[in-house]
Amino acid sequence: MNKITGAQIRAARALKRWTLQDLADRASMGLSTIRRAEAEDGVPTITTANLKLIQMTLEDSGIEFIEANGGGVGVRFKER
């Protein structure tokens, strides 16, 4: 599992139309942890376990994280 960026977390949350509190509640973690994760454009300086939990929560809700390629990193809805 590649590490996601704070910018990807912000974008994924925006796609879902979730507030910071929505993501914190769904991931069962503190609001301040989500804020710290989103504050950085690059890979957040939170624990690897918390970053994986955020990623899994968003993926389970239908988000797909796009790895770096010619167009950069990103997010999108998973195809059904």
Side-chain angles (χ1 to χ4, degrees):
M1 180 179 285
N2 288 322
K3 291 190 176 183
I4 59 174
T5 67
Q8 284 177 297
I9 297 168
R10 290 191 308 270
R13 192 171 55 76
L15 278 176
K16 296 296 295 181
R17 296 183 183 191
W18 286 357
T19 65
L20 286 164
Q21 190 65 58
D22 290 334
L23 179 54
D25 291 345
R26 285 172 170 85
S28 299
M29 65 177 51
L31 184 60
S32 61
T33 302
I34 303 296
R35 279 195 184 115
R36 276 196 319 276
E38 289 192 1
E40 302 175 50
D41 287 334
V43 176
T45 54
I46 61 174
T47 66
T48 300
N50 281 342
L51 187 58
K52 285 182 182 179
L53 183 57
I54 291 170
Q55 183 172 354
M56 287 176 20
T57 300
L58 288 164
E59 287 175 341
D60 289 348
S61 77
I63 294 294
E64 180 179 359
F65 291 93
I66 304 166
E67 295 181 29
N69 57 31
V73 298
V75 297
R76 64 181 170 208
F77 288 113
K78 289 181 185 176
E79 291 185 30
R80 296 184 182 188

